[in-house]
Every structure is written in C-alpha cells, then in structure tokens.
C-alpha cells in the first residue's frame, strides 16, 4: 500500500459531473478512434447487433495519425516470429509476458496483411513487396512504413475510410467530440462482483445528444491512448490526458506497469520553456545511420551499448541525460547530414517539413534533441483477449497493459499491438455476446465522494510529474511529487472554502482531474519499484535487481485508497519460440 511518511493516498472513484440528461444503448461501446479503436469497431460491426464508437475528437484525430516510425512484423523470408519475440523480450527487460509477446509476433503478420486488404498502402521495394527497414532494438529489417515517415497517418486514413463507408449502417453509431467521464458499473451484490455496464460521457455539439449523457452496454472497450499530457513535454497530441486509464482505475480495474514510461530520446529541443506536444525525430532516422553527438560534436553512444545509436530507447534516453549533465547542457545533437539531402527529403518528408517550420535545415546542420515523454508501457491489466479485471471492461492499444512491452516498448511494436489485440478482443466479445454472457446491467452509484480538479492546476501537475516520475527518479523526488499531488485542491476543498468549479464543469476540469489521479498512481508505482529497469530509472537504485522481475499493480479499494502490489516473479516464464 502507499503508506510511509505520506500516509495512505485516497482518490475519488467518480468524476463530479451533472446527472446524465439522455441515454443510448448498444451491445458494445468502443471508446477511441486510433488503430485499436477503429479495428475493434470494424471487427465488431458484423458480429454483434449494435456497436457504439465514441471518440474524443474527430475520427481521424487520435494518436495513431502521429506515428512516424512504422509497424513491426516478421514478413521477410530471412526473419521469423521467434526472432521478433527474442528482440521484444530483450527490450522488455525481463518483465514481458512471453505468452502475450508470442501472440503479437505470430498473429502480427496476418493482421498487417488484413490492414493492407482494408486499403492501407505501404512503401514497396523494387520487387513490389512491402519495403522493410530496421529500428533500434531490432535484429532484422522488419519495419513497414507508409509515406516514408507517415505510417500512422496512412493507417488512420485507411481505417477511417472503412468506417465512413458503413457509417449509415444501423448496426453502428459514431459519436464524435465526446469525452468519456466514467465507466459505469453494476452493484456488486447483483452478480457477486461489479461488472462494466456502460459509460457516462460529455458531448460537445448541437442536437439531442449534447451535454452529459449515458451509454449502456454489456461490454466497454477502452482504446483511449496514453498518458501524454501528464508530463510537461510530450510527443502526444493534446487530447492524450489519460482519460480511459483514470476511468478504469475509478471503476475498480487493476493497472499495471505504470512506472515504465518511455521517454523518446530524440524529440526536437525547442528551448527549456517548451511544453505540450513537441515534434519527435523518428527512431528510423538513427535506423538509417544518423548519429548522436554532444554539443561539442563528440559521438557518445559507442561503448554505451553493443548496438550504439540503435540501442533500445531507454538506454539511449538515459545516455543522453547523462551526457547533458556531463556537458552542462539541456540538449544533444542528431547528425544526419552524411545521409544526403535527397535521401533525407525523400525518406523523411514529414520530419523535413516540420524542421523547416522551425527554421532548421537538417541537410545542413545537426538537429538539437532531448528526451520527452512518448509512450506508456503500462495501462489497464488485461488477458490475451483484452479483458480487464472487471468483467465486461476491455482495453486495447496504449491504454492496455497486455504484458507485450514489459519495462520498455520495442520500436514499432505499438501499432502492431493495437492491431493484434483489438482484433482478438473484438472476436472474444462477439463470442460472449452470442452466448448471452455480456448483457447490459443497471448502473450503481459507487461509494465515496466524487472529484473535480480546477483546470488551473494542470501546469502544477505536469511540472510535478516531470520532477518526480520523470526520466531520472529518486526516493526524495518521488515523495515530494506524491505530497504535491496530494495537495492539489479538488472541488470538495473549494466548496468548503465557499467556491466551486462544478457549477459549469468543462472538459479541461475533467481532463485535469484524470491527469492528477494518474500522476498520483504513477508516482506510487515508481516509489514501490526500488531498482532501475527499462523506462524506470532510479538514481538511488541504479542497478537492475533480479528480485524485481515482477509486475507492480495499482488499484483503488472500495474506500478509494490506492493499493500498490508487487506480483509474482516473472523470470520463470521467459520462453522463446522454437
């Protein structure tokens, strides 16, 4: 438990919001429209009577569209799922779930071919086959790209086009510009345990379904992306505010591996005051031969790792932070000039254009870069079919903790994970709907007070996350962060002082509440893991400890107390495909 000098941490189990003013129903609700949400919705559409897809912005505006690097799959005759599995386990630092990784690498090639059948166009080689390149941590060329460095945009385009083609189908409804507030759950006394039965949501728009309403269903699939805006600097879009992760936590689901935050090593450095979504320089650039230099022009990755500049991201990010400390600077340089201007413009047109927008011609000068939050390896703990610890609640994509990534995501495995596990979840849900196992229930009020955090607290929360569970962590820093997060005022405190933000809550208040809750849970998990592994680096415990080859989980008790648990040793499960 999160005890010690700070005492137990308590979080509200619902968001403060007006009562729902309208109700809709479906068999399955899918929340999110990135690669995982769109895949789940398309697979479910022909397998259950009615699907409701809810997305926070427009259909095309999720995190997938920003993915530059590519999608990994063992497609080459000289490659194999066993080799892909071995590379993934190596990057994961001993805490991957080998069974989940085996599912990923064996089913991945077929899912990628189905994506092509749905209209996604990948770059081809001279023989007309999908061109494959290499990125950090991979021992073979197995990364498929589209448009050079616009893979996510092409995948999003193809899947959105598929969904738009059936948008008037009576078996599917799409609600855009809708923030899901909470996952609704049944009274545990009805069935012996709570189960998910829908969501409350706030729709920004005109018509009969605006404001706060509720959608009821036998199953809810969260595909809401990661925790980007928990941190001051991130490559994630502004809407990545940990909404699904926080809603699952409040509903009683277990979260796992929260402490493993991937900081992309080469994010464009725009000055010490930069915040929000920052442009990343894809790892594929180093895959093509770009080299990291310190500000004195000295290469520094040789000798740090056998793969040098192509080492896994956590290794590179930590090496950069150490080099910045040694040189007294806040950035390093990525030198790609030797690759040639024509190659850089053809292979990386999006990066070239974004750098030009900042007045940087990377064909002539090295690019200033520094680590920033990029991907979250943790999430809602699921089984191999996306099922969480709450019956009826599923999670796919970055919001999920399948065990594929362990302590550190291998480059370009994220799009593949969303594709593979959304497909599996959709088919498992459809089978359960057909058997009558996933029926809508009656929502019950969860015990304890609700919460709402003023939007003005967001900057404090983000700065606290950067200083506490950031790239380099310490016990003192984490405890200070936990205390600062505990001191963030909620609406309950403000009402006691004679003011309130609940009179007219806006999206910003709900998002900020989610950020505060997940920042607190992340900090608690990072405090518990007294070692360094993958995306979790403790300066006061700099070595990997074999005793910590286990998953740390976080959950809320009925009274809202945050409970942190270290699971069973996972080292004994490590296997490799024959």
């Amino acid at each position: 438990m999160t005890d010690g000098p700070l005492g137990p941490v308590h979080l509200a189990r619902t968001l403060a919001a007006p009562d729902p003013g309208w109700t809709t129903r479906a068999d399955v609700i899918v929340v999110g429209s990135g690669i995982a949400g769109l895949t789940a919705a398309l697979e479910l559409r022909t397998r259950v009577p009615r699907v409701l897809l809810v997305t926070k912005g427009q259909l095309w505006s999720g995190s997938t569209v920003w993915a530059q690097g590519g999608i990994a799959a063992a497609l080459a005759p000289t490659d194999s799922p066993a080799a892909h599995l071995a590379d993934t386990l190596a990057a994961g630092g001993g805490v991957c779930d080998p069974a989940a990784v085996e599912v990923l690498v064996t089913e991945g090639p077929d899912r990628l071919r189905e994506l092509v059948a749905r209209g996604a166009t990948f770059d081809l080689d001279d023989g007309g086959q999908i061109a494959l390149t290499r990125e950090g941590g991979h021992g073979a060329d197995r990364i498929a790209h589209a448009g050079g460095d616009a893979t996510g945009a092409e995948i999003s385009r193809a899947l959105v086009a598929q969904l738009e083609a059936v948008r008037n189908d009576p078996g599917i409804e799409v609600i855009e510009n809708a923030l899901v507030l909470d996952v609704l759950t049944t009274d545990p006394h009805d069935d012996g345990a709570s189960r998910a039965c829908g969501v409350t949501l706030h729709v920004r728009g005109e018509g009969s379904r605006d404001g706060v309403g509720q959608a009821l269903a036998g199953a809810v699939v969260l595909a809401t992306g990661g925790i980007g805006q928990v941190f001051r600097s991130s490559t994630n879009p502004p809407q990545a505010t940990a909404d699904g992760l926080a809603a699952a936590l409040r509903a009683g689901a277990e979260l796992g591996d929260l402490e493993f935050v991937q900081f992309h090593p080469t994010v464009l450095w725009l000055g010490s005051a930069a915040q929000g979504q920052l442009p990343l320089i894809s790892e594929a650039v180093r895959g093509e031969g770009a080299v990291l230099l310190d500000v004195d022009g000295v290469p520094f990755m040789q000798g740090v790792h056998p793969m040098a500049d192509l080492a896994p991201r956590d290794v590179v990010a930590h090496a950069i932070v150490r080099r910045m400390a040694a040189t007294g600077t806040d950035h390093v340089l990525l030198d790609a000039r030797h690759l040639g201007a024509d190659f850089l413009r053809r292979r990386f047109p999006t990066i070239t254009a974004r750098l030009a927008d900042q007045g940087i011609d990377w064909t002539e000068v090295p690019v200033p870069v520094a680590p920033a939050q990029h991907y979250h390896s943790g999430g809602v703990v699921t089984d191999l079919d996306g099922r969480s610890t709450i019956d009826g609640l599923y999670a796919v994509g970055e919001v999920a903790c399948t065990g594929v990534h362990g302590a550190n995501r291998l480059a370009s495995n994220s799009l593949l994970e969303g594709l593979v596990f959304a497909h599996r979840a959709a088919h498992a849900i459809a089978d359960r709907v057909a058997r009558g196992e996933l029926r809508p229930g009656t929502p019950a009020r969860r015990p304890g007070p609700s919460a709402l955090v003023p939007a003005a607290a967001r900057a404090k929360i983000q700065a606290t996350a950067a200083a506490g569970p950031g790239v380099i962590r310490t016990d003192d820093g984490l405890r200070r962060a936990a205390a600062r997060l505990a001191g963030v005022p909620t609406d309950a405190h403000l009402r006691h002082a004679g003011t309130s933000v609940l009179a007219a809550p806006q999206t910003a208040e709900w998002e900020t509440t989610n950020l505060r809750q997940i920042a607190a849970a992340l900090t608690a998990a990072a405090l518990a893991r007294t070692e360094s592994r993958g995306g979790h680096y403790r300066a006061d415990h700099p070595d990997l400890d074999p005793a910590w080859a286990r998953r740390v989980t976080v959950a809320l008790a009925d009274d809202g107390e945050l409970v942190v648990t270290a699971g069973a040793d996972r080292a004994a499960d490590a296997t490799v495909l024959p």
Side-chain angles (χ1 to χ4, degrees):
M1 293 198 179
T2 53
D3 50 19
L6 294 173
V9 175
H10 286 80
L11 300 175
R13 296 200 58 202
T14 54
L15 287 178
D19 291 334
W22 51 271
T23 299
T24 188
R25 290 174 171 80
D27 293 284
V28 184
I29 300 166
V30 178
V31 186
S33 60
I35 186 172
L38 291 170
T39 297
L42 288 168
E43 291 292 334
L44 283 162
R45 185 188 69 84
T46 58
R47 291 175 172 83
V48 300
R50 181 170 171 78
V51 179
L52 173 64
L53 175 63
V54 178
T55 185
K56 192 173 181 179
Q58 304 297 308
L59 277 177
W60 50 266
S61 62
S63 294
T64 295
V65 74
W66 295 97
Q68 294 176 350
I71 183 168
L75 297 175
T78 54
D79 196 8
S80 68
H84 190 182
L85 182 143
D87 289 344
T88 300
L89 292 179
V95 288
C96 294
D97 179 347
V101 179
E102 184 169 344
V103 165
L104 179 84
V105 300
T106 55
E107 298 183 11
D110 284 344
R111 300 291 84 80
L112 182 56
R113 295 183 186 101
E114 290 169 0
L115 191 58
V116 172
R118 280 188 160 137
T121 302
F122 290 91
D123 298 341
L124 304 179
D125 60 22
D126 293 339
Q129 302 300 310
I130 293 176
L132 301 172
T133 61
R134 191 175 304 197
E135 293 179 1
H138 289 273
D141 293 344
R142 65 170 69 100
I143 314 300
H145 294 269
D149 57 358
T151 310
E154 170 58 17
I155 291 172
S156 181
R157 180 207 61 77
L159 292 176
V160 168
Q162 288 276 307
L163 193 64
E164 291 286 10
V166 297
R167 196 160 180 169
N168 294 324
D169 187 321
I172 189 166
E173 180 183 2
V174 176
I175 301 180
E176 297 178 303
N177 300 310
L179 169 65
V180 165
L181 304 179
D182 273 308
V183 173
L184 296 171
T185 51
T186 61
D187 190 319
H189 299 296
D190 292 345
D191 298 298
S194 290
R195 56 188 178 91
C197 62
V199 297
T200 53
L201 64 163
H202 178 256
V203 183
R204 304 183 303 278
E206 299 179 356
S208 60
R209 288 184 181 168
D210 57 358
V212 175
Q214 64 180 0
L216 304 180
V220 175
V221 182
L222 297 176
T224 50
I227 64 170
Q229 301 309 311
V230 164
F231 289 86
R232 182 172 53 196
S233 298
S234 173
T235 65
N236 287 235
Q239 64 266 33
T241 52
D243 307 318
L245 201 59
L249 178 67
R250 290 191 295 269
E254 274 190 4
L255 310 184
D257 294 342
L258 293 187
E259 67 273 28
F260 297 126
V261 179
Q262 190 172 75
F263 295 90
H264 197 289
T266 54
V267 175
L268 182 62
W269 182 80
L270 294 176
S272 57
Q275 58 183 334
Q277 186 180 14
L278 300 175
L280 68 83
I281 312 301
S282 171
E283 192 162 24
V285 176
R286 284 180 287 122
E288 297 291 357
V291 177
L292 286 162
L293 313 172
D294 65 21
V295 292
D296 295 320
V298 178
F300 58 88
M301 285 305 299
Q302 292 291 338
V304 172
H305 188 276
M307 300 182 76
D309 290 273
L310 282 176
R313 289 175 177 174
D314 61 310
V315 175
V316 179
H318 297 156
I320 290 174
V321 170
R322 289 193 293 269
R323 198 65 170 193
M324 291 191 303
T327 56
T329 58
D330 45 16
H331 68 283
V332 295
L333 301 170
L334 182 66
D335 192 358
R337 293 172 295 173
H338 59 283
L339 299 179
D342 290 343
F343 176 82
L344 289 174
R345 290 168 183 151
R346 182 181 69 255
R347 174 69 175 84
F348 302 109
T350 305
I351 295 174
T352 301
R354 287 179 183 161
L355 290 173
D357 289 342
Q358 300 296 331
I360 299 172
D361 181 356
W362 70 331
T363 70
E364 296 288 339
V365 297
V367 180
V369 295
Q373 192 279 332
H374 179 55
Y375 189 84
H376 191 209
S377 296
V380 181
V381 174
T382 69
D383 66 10
L384 298 182
D385 291 326
R387 186 173 176 175
S388 78
T389 54
I390 299 294
D391 192 25
L393 179 63
Y394 292 74
V396 291
E398 190 174 356
V399 72
C401 178
T402 61
V404 158
H405 306 303
N408 185 39
R409 174 178 68 97
L410 182 64
S412 292
N413 269 354
S414 52
L415 291 175
L416 189 69
E417 181 197 31
L419 196 62
V420 167
F421 287 92
H423 183 278
R424 290 180 65 92
H427 285 252
I429 291 168
D431 288 345
R432 294 190 68 197
V433 169
R435 293 195 299 267
E437 296 175 8
L438 292 173
R439 300 183 305 276
T442 302
R445 182 177 180 83
R446 289 198 284 270
S450 58
L452 198 66
V453 173
R458 180 179 295 204
K460 176 181 178 179
I461 293 166
Q462 292 172 324
T464 300
V471 181
I472 305 293
R473 303 164 179 178
T474 65
D475 184 85
D476 287 345
L478 290 167
R479 289 188 180 277
R480 283 195 299 270
R484 284 174 61 85
L485 291 168
V488 172
T490 66
D491 189 66
H493 299 115
L494 297 175
R495 286 197 305 270
H496 184 72
T499 61
S500 176
V501 293
L502 184 56
Q506 301 295 316
T507 297
E509 278 75 33
W510 287 314
E511 288 180 336
T512 304
T513 309
N514 290 334
L515 294 176
R516 184 244 182 182
Q517 290 196 330
I518 295 307
L522 164 60
T523 301
L527 260 173
R529 184 174 289 276
T530 52
E531 63 151 2
S532 291
R533 185 187 298 261
H536 170 73
Y537 184 79
R538 289 278 297 262
D540 52 342
H541 297 282
D543 298 322
L544 183 147
D545 182 350
W548 274 104
R550 57 189 72 244
R551 173 181 287 167
V552 173
T553 60
V554 176
L556 290 185
D558 289 344
D559 64 354
E561 182 177 350
L562 197 61
V563 179
V564 182
T565 306
D569 191 332
R570 310 186 80 181
D573 295 330
T575 58
V576 178
L577 284 171

